[in-house]
Every structure is written in structure tokens, then in C-alpha cells.
Amino acid sequence: MKLEPANISFDAQGQPFAKDFDDVYFSQDKGVEESNYVFIAGNDLISKWRESKSPSFCIGETGFGTGLNLLLSAHTFLTLQDMQATSIKRLHMLTTEKYPLSKEQLIRAHQNWPKLSGLSQELVKAYPIAIQGLHRIELAGGRIIIDLLLGDAAEMLSSLYVPQHGLVDAWFLDGFAPSKNGSMWHAALFEQIALLSKAEASLATFTAAGAVKRALQASGFIVNKRKGFGRKREMIVAQNQNTQRRINYQQQAPYFARPSAAHKARKVAIIGAGLAGAICAHKLSQLGVQLDLFCTGETVADGASGNAQGGIYPQLNAELNINSEVQIASFLYARRYYDGLAAMGADFAHQWCGALLLAFNPNVASRQQKLISKAQYPEALVSGVDAIQASKLANVDVHHSALWFPLAGWISPPQLVTNLLAIAKSSTCLNLHTGTTVSDIQHTSQHATISVNGEVLKYDYVILASGANTPNLLQQTHDFRLTRGQVESVPSTQTSQNLSTLLCHKGYFTPAMQGQHAMGSTYVKNDVDTRYRDSEASDNLHMHRKSMGQHQWMDELILCDRTLADKFKGRAAIRCSTPDHLPLVGQVPDLAQQAIDLANLYQAKPAQHYTLSQTSRRVYVLSGLGSRGLTTAPILAETLISEMCGKALPLPTKLLNALAPNRFLVRKLIRRQDPFS
Ligand code: SAM
């Protein structure tokens, strides 16, 4: 999970050199010309972009390095777009990197290319920490989408979800000379290139090595040699000749397929005005989609997204399991998303103050110790601190050792939701219908319909982002869990004002916002009453005292001669989660039909034997976020909208499967259990 950093030096001209590979990143002094010649001209990109009728174009690259190829391609594409010389809306770039440069090294390398400085600054801001995985970065207002795959090229490419017609239009094979980096240029990489390529995919590489030529031919490419850049005699260009796309069903089971929506999303209804609904609305508004947003409350964010402050940090296990991977991918994307919003001027209270997860009992202390000693995660994400360090970071006394998450923080969800909807309203036609109950969600192959006050309304798509109302709307309760949670709002004291990080234990305690701390939270299963309870305020207080230990600053805060209800102004809401604690995102499946289609799953035949008769559907769900919506909602909304709008998906197949709305049905059928119990 943690990656080895690039081992590089810079020469007097500021050109990077890879010491471990004894090779350059690009031609000394002529990097831009080389990149233009070998990769952009080698794939004939300018003519392709001028002539293409597709909404998007995808470049696949091995060896992101400094990002020169990518920045130059983005710059060239945006220039064509600005001249209205291409009708392509988005340039999507998949790029792999096993030994990432640090942010500082990236900045240094980019200093040589002043004309790329605007894009470079955007890229540097969003550049992820060195942790394996798929990191989606948007530049130029979403006209450029970079999926930076940190990890080994072949392994990372094999993790991607590949739509029916393939993913990549043009390949840039970089990655040091084959003679110096044999472990990248091996058969598994060429296998992935074949699996990901669209029928007309082209390829260019600086090398003319015979082994590369033969491997490409074996993968179904017609290979040609042309004059290499500068003093290089030859380079390779190639054209995919595979008439039929190969699919690896072991990697991509047909019953977890995510068919792209077959119809354009012009008019969409979103049900729910919490975080999930507002982020979907914001993202769809950037694509110019007309929106109706419905919520039952008189105000937006009146459910689980209504607490004044919410913590945001990834919940990790010592073992890197699926849940941890979902958390990491979600958290890092969420940080980029919220940073992007703030940079655009969105005005929502938030603070990237870091979070301390306190080792508040021996079991937690031993789990934390295990996580630290396994050393799977980079320190930029999480590290261990003792009680003295924890107290320094928190700026108040803390008695426990802790896990420290420097990138974490808190956000005010209602302010975020209000801002997102205001931004959405300013860029598209968004009608907000508060106090409105939606029922009877139906869909045909032509449209989806909902009933509102007895009237039937038609949309291209409907999105259920309806939190605790989702089980009712789907008429499907067995895959969801509803839990009541009460959070207290605690007036700060002079000492507690000093608290400078989020404190988490069994509950959580935030730094003060406008003189109030948030202290949460209770978890009462199957209780959907949202009235405030004094008894739960006591529970919250008791839990905090027990977890935190005796602290003068805590005593000052919560000792009072009034009743708790006078002292705290809390609120309760209902969270919707799932049996495996992971959210659901995707098209709402026809479970009854799938139970028939997949009835023999228990026979464990190869995956391609289990196809679904259902085709693309028009109702989507984004739910089961539990109390982690601030962390997970942005990447889930991006996943949903990418699926709905035919964009590449921002999560690897393994995680998409773990979030699939039909996964509980599939698991039960594999075990030959009643899928509807
Ligand atoms: N395209 C880059 C640019 O625009 O700066 C230059 C690429 S540099 C010649 C080769 C890159 O491939 C290095 O950044 C190196 O770390 C990366 N690399 C080497 N082996 C790799 C592997 N197995 N998987 C992914 N990346 C690898």
C-alpha cells in the first residue's frame, strides 16, 4: 500500500534523473519537443481530436513520472477546445506510477515549462500522497480528468473497470528503457494493454526494442517503426487490430457489471437534500443537467447531514481490507473535492486540523499498535503518537496514545449542503422542492417516473440519495440498518477553545465552531425517533468521561448546576447503513429478476456463465453512508454520475463490486440462502 519514493537527482538545468534506473525522465533540455514528437504526434492526436465525434477521449500511459506528457497533452487539448477545433468534451488520462516523485520534486521538475504552469499548479495542489490506488484528479473545471494509478503498471491497469467497448483510445508507453526496467515491460503489461484498448486504439513509444515490438504484435497490434526523436534512430507506433474485445471475466463478473446508461441525462430528479443529494446535484450541474431536487423536510440537510459539525478521517483496519481501501480512496478524493470547492470560493465552515484517534482502552491500544507495526500506510496518512505528542497536537491535555491523521478535520455539513446547492443553482436549472414527499418510483426503458402530490413526473433518471428513507422508497428493508444518533452541542470554555484537533474515541469531540463543540454520538439500533433525549445526553457525557479519562478542561466544560438539556443543545437523526458497513452505489437492480437469473450461483461455475437479463436501468441509488457521509459521499457521487453519464469509473473493480447494490443478493445466492430474508 505504501510506495517507495522516486530516487532522483536534478542536474544543473533542473532535469530529473532516476538513479535506481540510471535513466532520464525525458530528453535533456528537449523534454517538451520529445513528448510532442513521440507521444502526441506518434498517436496523431491532433487530427484525432479534430475529427472525433465522441464526448471523451482516453489516453493510457505507463510511467507518469513528472507528468510532462500528461500536462502537455492536456494543454494541447485545451488549446484545441478553446479554438473550438474539437467537439470532445473531456480528456481522460489513465496514468500509472510505481515510484512517485514528491510534491516538491514535481514542482521543481515543472519549473522548466512555464507555458504549462497553470495546469501544473492545479495538478500539484491535487497530487496525492504516496499510497497505492486509483486517485482521480480533475483539472480545468473537469475538462481534464486524470486517473493517477499509483502502483505497478500491469497490476494497477488490471484493477480497472473496463466498459463493454474498452477504455483507452491512445497509449503512451513510457517507463524507462526496456533494458533498464525489464520488470515493467513484461507480458502482463501487454496483456492489460490489449484488454483495455478500444477497437481503434493507437500506441506510441520512444523505444524500438525488438521485445516490445514482438509483445505488441502478440497482443494484436500492427507495429510500425518510424524515425525516433533527436538522435534516436527508431521508435514504435502501433495500431490495435483485435476485432473482438477480450474480457477477463475473472476480474469482472457479469453480475456486477455496471452498464453505462444508454440515454443522455438531460433531466434528472434527485430525492434527498443531504450530503449525497447535494454533491450529486453539484456534480450534475457542472455537466449542465436540468435538476429537480426533492426533500421531505422544510429545509435542506435536515436528516443525518444536519449536525453542525462532522469529523472527516479514514477509518482503517490494521489489515488492509476492502473497508480500509474504500475509506482511503474516499477520504483522499473527498479532501481533493472539498479543497477544490473552497478554492472556488465556496463558503462552508471547515478546518483541516487533523484527527487523533485515542487509544482509550487496552483493546483499541493493541489494535492501534498492530496497525502501526504493520506499517502498511504512509505517515502522511496515519502515524502513532504517545500521550505527550497527542497533547501537543491537540493543544489540550490528553491522557492516551493515539493514531494521528494529519490530513483529517471537520466540516459543517449543513453549510456545505447549502453552498453546493447554491453553486448548482448558479450553473444549471435546479428546482428545489422542500417539504415534498415522493412516492411510487417507476421506470421503463424510456424514462423514470415519480409521484409527487398525486402528479406523475417524468425524468431521464432518478437518483435516490434519501438516507433513512431509502429502504421505504425501494421497498426493500433487508439490506439496510437504521440507527438513531444524538450529538450534543457543548458551549466552549476558555481552555476548550484551545483544542486544535478532532478527538475521536468511542465518540468524537470537535474543536469549537462559533463557541460550540460537537460531542457525539449515540448509536441506537432500529430506533427512528428523532426527538432530543436528556437520557442520551447523559450517555454521551458518560461515554466521553469514560473514554477521555479525568481532564480539568473537560470538567470545566461539562460541570454545571443546570440540567443537561439546559446546558447542551443537541439533535438526533437517523443514519442508514448496511449489514457490511459499506454504502451502496449504482443502478437499482431488479432483485426479483436477478434472483432468477443467478439462481445457480452456488454451483460456482466460471463467472461468464452468470449473465443478467436486465439491461441498463434508470433509477440509481446512493445510500448506506451511515455516519461516514462526509468521507464517502464525494467519491460515491462521482461513481454514480460517471456510471450515469458514460464516464470512466473512479474506483477499481474490486471496490465497485464491494459497493454494488446487488451484492447481498449475490452473496446469499452463492450460499444458496433465501435472497429476500
Ligand atoms: N512520462 C513521464 C513524464 O512525463 O515525466 C516520464 C516517465 S519516466 C521515463 C518512467 C516512469 O515510469 C518513472 O516515473 C518510473 O518511476 C515509472 N515506472 C517504472 N517502472 C514502473 C512500473 N513497473 N509501474 C509503473 N511505473 C513505473
Side-chain angles (χ1 to χ4, degrees), residues 150-214:
L150 292 185
D152 174 68
E155 185 188 340
M156 297 313 293
L157 292 175
S158 76
S159 72
L160 290 173
Y161 185 84
V162 190
Q164 206 185 352
H165 299 294
L167 204 51
V168 175
D169 294 287
W171 287 99
F172 294 2
L173 290 203
D174 216 345
F176 300 133
S179 56
K180 296 180 173 180
N181 189 17
S183 71
M184 191 195 88
W185 301 84
H186 58 67
L189 176 68
F190 294 99
E191 161 85 6
Q192 288 309 319
I193 289 174
L195 284 168
L196 266 67
S197 291
K198 287 191 188 162
E200 317 74 29
S202 63
L203 180 148
T205 177
F206 64 92
T207 180
V212 172
K213 178 180 157 188
R214 288 187 293 278

Side-chain angles (χ1 to χ4, degrees), residues 32-155:
V32 169
E33 289 88 333
E34 181 185 40
S35 176
N36 252 324
Y37 179 88
V38 174
F39 298 107
I40 297 182
N43 278 293
D44 202 11
L45 288 187
I46 295 182
S47 324
K48 283 186 181 155
W49 290 343
R50 282 181 183 278
E51 286 154 23
S52 171
K53 300 277 172 280
S54 288
S56 68
F57 188 94
C58 177
I59 294 174
E61 181 186 47
T62 56
F64 166 81
T66 64
L68 170 60
N69 288 340
L70 189 146
L71 288 176
L72 195 64
S73 305
H75 177 78
T76 310
F77 172 77
L78 291 173
T79 309
L80 273 192
Q81 254 197 350
D82 291 342
M83 289 159 51
Q84 299 185 336
T86 176
S87 58
I88 300 172
K89 299 248 180 320
R90 285 182 307 277
L91 178 62
H92 175 217
M93 304 200 231
L94 291 173
T95 177
T96 60
E97 180 53 63
K98 190 172 180 183
Y99 310 100
L101 271 69
S102 68
K103 223 178 223 198
E104 294 66 36
Q105 290 167 333
L106 207 64
I107 293 171
R108 190 158 170 203
H110 290 188
Q111 276 165 2
N112 293 314
W113 320 310
K115 83 169 177 183
L116 302 176
S117 68
L119 284 169
S120 150
Q121 277 168 22
E122 276 196 73
L123 176 64
V124 166
K125 254 191 215 146
Y127 192 62
I129 57 171
I131 190 163
Q132 183 162 330
L134 164 50
H135 305 268
R136 173 160 292 190
I137 297 169
E138 290 179 15
L139 308 182
R143 293 195 283 164
I144 306 291
I145 296 175
I146 299 169
D147 282 336
L148 176 53
L149 296 156
L150 292 185
D152 174 68
E155 185 188 340

Side-chain angles (χ1 to χ4, degrees), residues 116-385:
L116 302 176
S117 68
L119 284 169
S120 150
Q121 277 168 22
E122 276 196 73
L123 176 64
V124 166
K125 254 191 215 146
Y127 192 62
I129 57 171
I131 190 163
Q132 183 162 330
L134 164 50
H135 305 268
R136 173 160 292 190
I137 297 169
E138 290 179 15
L139 308 182
R143 293 195 283 164
I144 306 291
I145 296 175
I146 299 169
D147 282 336
L148 176 53
L149 296 156
L150 292 185
D152 174 68
E155 185 188 340
M156 297 313 293
L157 292 175
S158 76
S159 72
L160 290 173
Y161 185 84
V162 190
Q164 206 185 352
H165 299 294
L167 204 51
V168 175
D169 294 287
W171 287 99
F172 294 2
L173 290 203
D174 216 345
F176 300 133
S179 56
K180 296 180 173 180
N181 189 17
S183 71
M184 191 195 88
W185 301 84
H186 58 67
L189 176 68
F190 294 99
E191 161 85 6
Q192 288 309 319
I193 289 174
L195 284 168
L196 266 67
S197 291
K198 287 191 188 162
E200 317 74 29
S202 63
L203 180 148
T205 177
F206 64 92
T207 180
V212 172
K213 178 180 157 188
R214 288 187 293 278
L216 283 170
Q217 285 168 333
S219 303
F221 279 79
I222 297 279
V223 176
N224 284 303
K225 288 195 177 168
R226 60 164 72 164
K227 163 82 186 77
F229 179 74
R231 277 177 292 143
K232 284 204 179 113
R233 211 156 52 90
E234 290 181 315
M235 60 172 265
I236 285 175
V237 291
Q239 191 64 44
N240 189 14
Q241 291 294 308
N242 289 300
T243 43
Q244 235 185 342
R245 262 206 70 241
R246 284 188 289 144
I247 297 173
N248 184 338
Y249 290 105
Q250 286 323 105
Q251 275 167 19
Q252 215 165 291
Y255 44 84
F256 284 138
R258 291 184 176 257
S260 279
H263 301 270
K264 207 168 160 30
R266 292 188 183 85
K267 192 172 174 203
V268 172
I270 300 175
I271 303 173
L275 278 168
I279 297 175
C280 286
H282 172 243
K283 284 181 173 282
L284 283 170
S285 74
Q286 310 299 90
L287 302 173
V289 177
Q290 195 185 327
L291 296 168
D292 275 336
L293 182 65
F294 299 91
C295 63
T296 46
E298 291 304 327
T299 55
V300 299
D302 78 331
S305 306
N307 295 335
Q309 283 174 287
I312 154 163
Y313 65 92
Q315 229 165 13
L316 303 181
N317 294 86
E319 304 294 343
L320 184 63
N321 58 10
I322 291 262
N323 292 50
S324 300
E325 285 194 47
V326 168
Q327 284 286 314
I328 293 170
S330 301
F331 172 70
L332 295 175
Y333 181 82
R335 267 294 316 246
R336 284 193 292 279
Y337 177 70
Y338 297 133
D339 285 342
L341 284 175
M344 275 164 36
D347 182 19
F348 57 98
H350 68 285
Q351 204 186 359
W352 299 124
C353 53
L356 286 167
L357 265 61
L358 304 175
F360 63 97
N361 69 31
N363 278 345
V364 174
S366 113
R367 279 207 301 272
Q368 292 194 351
Q369 212 40 58
K370 200 163 144 201
L371 184 145
I372 295 160
S373 58
K374 283 206 165 241
Q376 303 240 34
Y377 308 109
E379 285 202 355
L381 185 70
V382 61
S383 58
V385 291

